[in-house]
Amino acid sequence: MTTLYVRFLLPPMYEAALPQLIGLLGEFSPTVEALPPDAALVDLGGAVRYFGRDAVELAAVIRVRALALYGVECVIGAGPGPMLARMAARTASPGVTRVVPGDPGTVAEFLAGQPVAALPGVGAATARTLCEYGLDTLDRVAAAPQGTLQRLTTARIGRELHEKARGVDRTRVTPNAATRSTAAERPFPRDELDPYRHRRALLSLADELGARLRDGKQVCRSLTLTVRYADRSTTTRSRTLPEPTGHTTALSTAAYRMYEALGLQRARVRALALRAEGLRPVEGAARQLTFDPADEKARALEAVADRARAKFGPGAIVPGRLAA
């Protein structure tokens, strides 16, 4: 099996372009796993045979098409499995595909000397624990007995470390995986100072995401707000919602609170983006019942607006503050 890890070098405010880029990858292989906000895994096992091209040649075509059609450069790593493809991409550069061949000797040479934190799935706490005992590189972890690794971490983590440090990767590319996030952005025609216009943009973003989630019968667990300034710097804030929701009022309230927590003093804002993360089907989400008639009224109006939009288009009904 040959796997590509493709990371698209998207501008800070254009995460919403990922679905189109995933569609581009689907032209080469039906086995594509989206990794929002800017990456994907592609299993090229069948594609190599079908197109009669190796992984490097297919990666070059993907890179050219992404740049020509969407203006997006990408970094690509190739390996015998998802883990090695991810690690190869970390040392790759735009325009060059980093390849890890599948033979054990080359894999061991590639892993030797790399810090333990470079291994996918190893967090800061686990890496710190291993480094305290001198297991700071993958070749040293590979040489350590499995029992030692399990005593330092847990039985499951120790077993996975023992295998992955030797290049054994049991994960597979999951095709057609449900999207775990969805994003929307609002650039301003000029650098905007007015907080009222900032809040209108946030309401528009929350309204779009809420409608998108309800249309897909999904809810989100958290929101991420990205503010891009006139000097091209960005600020990102995330907030876990009290409960999974696709309710526009709940999304806009969370967005307002993140914005207010930034304490912007007449900041020149160039664009705002909002990303809903931790998506899941609405059937499996619990909702806290309330006795607030205003909330129930808002949800009823929301359902009516969704039906009108489905029939007459997305602009049929908008919040009053966005109608001007």
Side-chain angles (χ1 to χ4, degrees):
M1 180 181 71
T2 302
T3 303
L4 292 184
Y5 176 83
V6 184
R7 183 169 65 87
F8 299 102
L9 303 181
L10 296 170
M13 309 299 294
Y14 295 95
E15 295 96 335
L18 183 62
Q20 294 175 307
L21 294 165
I22 297 300
L24 169 65
L25 298 178
E27 298 176 7
F28 294 86
S29 171
T31 312
V32 179
E33 181 179 355
L35 301 174
D38 61 358
L41 286 167
V42 188
D43 182 356
L44 291 181
V48 169
R49 294 190 297 271
Y50 180 82
F51 291 104
R53 298 288 186 270
D54 61 22
V56 175
E57 292 171 324
L58 290 176
V61 177
I62 290 172
R63 180 180 292 107
V64 169
R65 289 193 180 181
L67 189 60
L69 296 175
Y70 303 103
V72 175
E73 181 59 273
C74 51
V75 171
I76 303 178
M83 181 191 77
L84 290 171
R86 286 172 181 261
M87 296 181 70
R90 290 181 180 177
T91 59
S93 58
V96 178
T97 301
R98 180 74 163 88
V99 182
V100 179
D103 60 281
T106 305
V107 170
E109 182 180 353
F110 172 75
L111 294 175
Q114 293 209 39
V116 67
L119 201 64
V122 175
T126 301
R128 185 166 53 250
T129 299
L130 294 172
C131 290
E132 289 175 354
Y133 288 88
L135 303 175
D136 55 345
T137 59
L138 292 181
D139 52 327
R140 292 179 178 178
V141 173
Q146 178 176 322
T148 300
L149 298 175
Q150 290 178 322
R151 285 194 296 272
L152 293 178
T153 55
T154 65
R156 180 184 62 82
I157 294 176
R159 183 178 63 254
E160 291 180 355
L161 284 172
H162 189 258
E163 292 181 345
K164 290 182 177 180
R166 289 170 166 76
V168 178
D169 181 17
R170 300 188 185 280
T171 61
R172 293 293 180 267
V173 179
T174 304
N176 303 321
T179 302
R180 290 177 288 181
S181 71
T182 182
E185 57 269 347
R186 291 292 183 274
F188 294 105
R190 60 178 180 275
D191 298 337
E192 188 57 66
L193 295 168
D194 189 353
Y196 173 74
R197 293 184 181 274
H198 297 168
R199 290 176 66 89
R200 285 186 78 238
L202 291 174
L203 176 59
S204 175
L205 290 167
D207 186 59
E208 178 182 338
L209 290 182
R212 197 184 300 172
L213 290 172
R214 296 189 299 274
D215 182 61
K217 294 180 172 51
Q218 293 180 309
V219 292
C220 70
R221 192 68 187 90
S222 62
L223 279 180
T224 297
L225 170 66
T226 303
V227 183
R228 188 180 186 188
Y229 305 103
D231 62 356
R232 299 184 181 273
S233 64
T234 61
T235 299
T236 302
R237 292 291 183 271
S238 296
R239 181 181 292 265
T240 300
L241 301 172
E243 62 183 20
T245 185
H247 185 30
T248 295
T249 301
L251 298 176
S252 61
T253 299
Y256 290 156
R257 289 177 178 172
M258 285 189 287
Y259 171 79
E260 292 165 358
L262 293 176
L264 302 180
Q265 298 295 326
R266 292 186 58 79
R268 297 169 59 197
V269 176
R270 182 159 296 178
L272 293 168
L274 200 62
R275 185 166 67 246
E277 299 178 308
L279 304 192
R280 64 184 69 176
V282 69
E283 293 83 2
R287 180 168 76 89
Q288 178 65 45
L289 297 177
T290 70
F291 295 98
D292 183 4
D295 181 70
E296 296 302 323
K297 181 179 179 180
R299 290 178 184 271
L301 291 173
E302 200 171 67
V304 173
D306 289 342
R307 290 195 294 270
R309 288 167 172 168
K311 186 174 183 179
F312 301 107
I317 295 181
V318 296
R321 279 176 289 178
L322 302 179

